[in-house]
Amino acid sequence: MRRQLKVVAILKRSGCLRGMDVTMALKAAIAPFASLLCLCGSPQAPASTSPAQASFEGIWSVNWCDRDHPDSDCGGFTALLVQDGERVCGRFGAARPGLTQIDEGEPRSIRGVVVKGSAVVVVTSGRSDGSYLVRLDREGSNMRWRMVEQVGVPDNADIQLIALHDELTRVVPSRERDQLAIVREECAR
């Protein structure tokens, strides 16, 4: 616990936790903060607050289809993200190909911060309560989603339905206004 508090203190000084619930970070047992430290830079360098930071706000999606069963329904992963300055918050929904299992992320199941043009978020599964550290990078009109590591142990042996290493495409902006308004309200609580 002492090590976790020391790491949290370093991250707070660097600005990496600005807008992030520190209690949530500890609860998720983010002791392996080494990945976050590498993304944030040195403790003396404050996080960038440049208005030119990448925007992660929007509805981002990827389809997962079963090549062995091309007639079955595709599943996929969808992240609904809102951004307020450096703070990123949202929820997700996921389904296996064939729609045999789903995970409807709870409100605020995605929370994190933007650091030097990348977003570092913790994603919590609605199926298992497992938590995962994920790095998001904008690449043109797409978003690269890379799971870094599991940071919170699931409460049960259920599977996780969270994107691992995928390129997500933004949903047509005209369709996202109402859904993002709901997510924004959830994240404001």
Side-chain angles (χ1 to χ4, degrees):
M1 181 68 161
R2 180 179 293 176
R3 180 177 171 212
Q4 289 174 321
L5 291 173
K6 189 179 287 187
V7 171
V8 168
I10 292 169
L11 289 171
K12 280 179 108 175
R13 277 195 310 272
S14 72
C16 289
L17 292 181
R18 194 173 305 129
M20 186 177 198
D21 185 344
V22 176
T23 306
M24 183 211 58
L26 284 173
K27 181 182 173 196
I30 304 178
F33 264 144
S35 303
L36 244 176
L37 284 170
C38 292
L39 292 172
C40 293
S42 70
Q44 293 79 23
S48 171
T49 57
S50 164
Q53 283 186 7
S55 173
F56 295 91
E57 183 158 318
I59 300 175
W60 304 89
S61 185
V62 63
N63 285 333
W64 296 331
C65 299
D66 186 343
R67 293 181 195 164
D68 296 333
H69 300 94
D71 293 334
S72 68
D73 291 325
C74 289
F77 180 85
T78 301
L80 295 85
L81 302 175
V82 294
Q83 184 173 340
D84 183 12
E86 296 173 331
R87 184 174 173 258
V88 177
C89 181
R91 63 170 39 230
F92 72 92
R96 277 187 178 255
L99 308 180
T100 57
Q101 294 173 310
I102 62 169
D103 188 344
E104 296 175 345
E106 302 292 326
R108 297 167 43 134
S109 55
I110 301 174
R111 297 188 62 199
V113 294
V114 177
V115 180
K116 297 183 181 179
S118 296
V120 179
V121 298
V122 174
V123 181
T124 303
S125 169
R127 289 183 65 95
S128 69
D129 286 332
S131 296
Y132 306 87
L133 186 65
V134 175
R135 178 178 172 161
L136 309 176
D137 290 293
R138 287 294 307 272
E139 294 183 357
S141 61
N142 295 332
M143 181 174 69
R144 171 89 44 208
W145 177 286
R146 292 180 290 188
M147 185 180 293
V148 177
E149 61 188 291
Q150 182 174 350
V151 293
V153 180
D155 287 343
N156 55 44
D158 205 349
I159 59 139
Q160 59 88 7
L161 286 174
I162 297 172
L164 299 175
H165 302 286
D166 287 288
E167 189 166 316
L168 282 64
T169 304
R170 188 164 184 190
V171 173
V172 179
S174 63
R175 296 184 185 167
E176 54 183 37
R177 182 185 307 161
D178 294 339
Q179 291 176 319
L180 289 180
I182 293 167
V183 172
R184 188 173 305 287
E185 188 175 305
E186 293 170 349
C187 290
R189 294 182 205 154

